[in-house]
Amino acid sequence: MNKITFFKLIRFRKKLKYLLFSLSILLLFLISSCVKDGDFEFDKLAQNQFDPTLAAPFINSKLTLKDILKDTSGIIQVDIQTNALKLVYNSDNMVSVMAKDLFEIPDQSIQTDTSNLVLIPPTGDSNFYSITKPYSFQLPKPEQKLDSVFIKHATLKLSINTDINHKGRVKLTIPNMKFPNGQNFRVEIPIDYNGGTTPYVINIPPIDISGCKITFNNLPGHRNEVIFKYEHWLYKDLINPYNSSYFIQVNDVLENISYDKLVGYIGQYEFPMGDTTEISVFNTQLEGNFELDNIKIGGKIENSFGLPLELKVDKLQAQNGSVIRNINDFPSPNPIPINSPTPAQIGQTVTTTISPVVSTDLANAFNISPKKIIYKVTGKANPANDSSISNFIIDTSNFKVSFNIEVPLEGKVGGFVLQDTIGFDLAAKIKDVDEVTFKIYTNNAFPLDAYVQVYFTNNLFHVIDSMITNNTSVIQSGNIDPVLHTVTSARATTTEVVISKERVRKIESLNTQKLIIKARLTSGNYSNNQIVKITNNDFIDVKLGMKAKVNIKP
């Protein structure tokens, strides 16, 4: 099976995070950004000689969705009619098949053997005889037919094995093959017998036939036929005797054949393609779910092969552990017939549009927070296997398949629990700190709220303490219109977290090395099945400050 240049997955995997995770990543980002290593320089606070109580603001930011997701590629778009936000992802060339992947001409070996050859001594200065060898190109499938091939690169290797003990020359003519100037291909080989032992072999240096055109004979009784004509001149000499019979074997090898253009019928080909994509963005999810609706998927296929093609999706499924969701409602129809250029459009690309459709199966697949996407597709050339259809391929022919997914940021998030770990070496930094108070103020115009907890752990991830000791929600959602599903006004929340001297000493003495950040995200009024929608007006204003009591150095 020819190797297929397939899905450009690296870019797809990076950007798929936006599609699968946008509704739930927003608030975790805000909380984790507050506690990155290096934010809290406790050692600098402790060096102050004058004031035992110090306060420092760390974050004062007003962020939109584009700020949070750091969108620089235009994935986040605004619905002009509703002002709602949506994520639009265009996958570039998920399938890309080149001419060399679809059809190659194998090396050809042409052997011409003549035995019991009786040579008549020349009455003049030479005698002449010729051998004609019809040769049918050997192709991978019997139904394949070549009408003409414009050679981009190929090499002809020729050798002669004979016991003729007289000088002469051999001219090879291939009337089916033309040089770029329109002349028939021909080459002459001297037979320079020097009186040595027989038989002997003459090897000709490789001949570059790049730029030649081969026209094949496909009349009834012939198939992919090319004529090799050998003309042999035998020079007169009175030195060596004439034997009763001779033999001559001419071996021609055409190798490393590539083409600029090919016309004929390449037969029916299937080229299966498939892979499993790991969705690592959900590795931080512990439990919970989210529900997104009205997800649209469409696409386009760009093709410059001059032959019938189709693409069939054999399997498309999402998997999370033992839970599997099949995506069966896209594409339709399946297989997808692919438009092809006509002979008048050779060198041009034509497009097949896959109209966007709302995929319920795709929405269900997203809603299980898949860890893997498994897909198998099969491309097929000449699906009807009709040899009366003339195909053409040029060296730059290809077809490319791209899909676009449109995800409106509208749905529900239910107890979606995320967890992440960051390095945070506190022990060496808080030896002069007696008490720390964190004050977090948020004014949230997103329709999501979150309960967030931060655990202090040692290097083995054993929990030493937690930042929040009550069940206070750090961020509450904005006020939501139950009909329009959008936020009508922001909601302010202030949370104060005190870490006492005893807890500070505990964190110090037990060698805190890591922070585990755990967030439970829920869309506003989720218990009443409220659907929420993120719009271009949504924002979150975050202020984070810290107050510390420190020991005064003498």
Side-chain angles (χ1 to χ4, degrees), residues 291-316:
E291 301 173 30
L292 300 174
D293 296 316
N294 299 318
I295 298 178
K296 291 183 179 180
I297 182 170
K300 66 177 181 179
I301 302 172
E302 297 175 299
N303 175 40
S304 57
F305 284 100
L307 65 152
L309 291 167
E310 69 178 23
L311 188 71
K312 184 176 185 294
V313 177
D314 302 305
K315 177 191 287 187
L316 183 58

Side-chain angles (χ1 to χ4, degrees), residues 395-468:
D395 65 322
T396 58
S397 292
N398 65 82
F399 78 83
K400 301 175 182 179
V401 182
S402 303
F403 290 105
N404 63 282
I405 301 175
E406 183 177 306
V407 183
L409 295 185
E410 181 175 6
K412 295 181 288 184
V413 179
F416 196 81
V417 178
L418 305 168
Q419 181 171 297
D420 200 3
T421 302
I422 60 174
F424 195 67
D425 186 2
L426 275 176
K429 298 182 178 183
I430 62 173
K431 57 185 177 62
D432 295 318
V433 177
D434 276 350
E435 181 181 286
V436 180
T437 299
F438 293 98
K439 193 167 186 178
I440 305 168
Y441 169 83
T442 60
N443 193 33
N444 184 19
F446 282 104
L448 295 170
D449 52 34
Y451 167 73
V452 178
Q453 181 59 276
V454 179
Y455 297 99
F456 304 94
T457 80
N458 61 18
N459 201 42
L460 298 176
F461 300 100
H462 295 152
V463 175
I464 297 170
D465 203 345
S466 58
M467 179 179 286
I468 302 171

Side-chain angles (χ1 to χ4, degrees), residues 434-435 465 499-507 509:
D434 276 350
E435 181 181 286
D465 203 345
I499 301 179
S500 66
K501 179 178 180 179
E502 292 76 18
R503 295 174 65 199
V504 171
R505 298 283 75 79
K506 179 181 177 183
I507 292 169
S509 63

Side-chain angles (χ1 to χ4, degrees), residues 8 15 93 123 283 291 299 367 455 518 538-539:
K8 296 187 176 177
K15 293 184 179 179
N93 307 334
T123 56
N283 290 341
E291 301 173 30
N367 293 342
Y455 297 99
K518 187 175 181 179
D538 294 348
F539 66 90

Side-chain angles (χ1 to χ4, degrees), residues 26 29-30 33 59-69 443-446 537-542:
L26 306 179
F29 174 88
L30 293 172
S33 68
I59 292 179
N60 185 357
S61 298
K62 184 175 182 179
L63 303 172
T64 66
L65 181 63
K66 288 189 176 183
D67 298 323
I68 294 170
L69 292 185
N443 193 33
N444 184 19
F446 282 104
N537 298 327
D538 294 348
F539 66 90
I540 186 166
D541 188 7
V542 181

Side-chain angles (χ1 to χ4, degrees), residues 261-263 303-308 338-351 389-394 397:
K261 184 172 71 171
L262 176 153
V263 179
N303 175 40
S304 57
F305 284 100
L307 65 152
I338 301 173
N339 296 330
S340 302
T342 66
Q345 296 172 305
I346 190 167
Q348 299 180 31
T349 297
V350 298
T351 299
I389 298 176
S390 181
N391 305 160
F392 66 82
I393 304 174
I394 61 176
S397 292

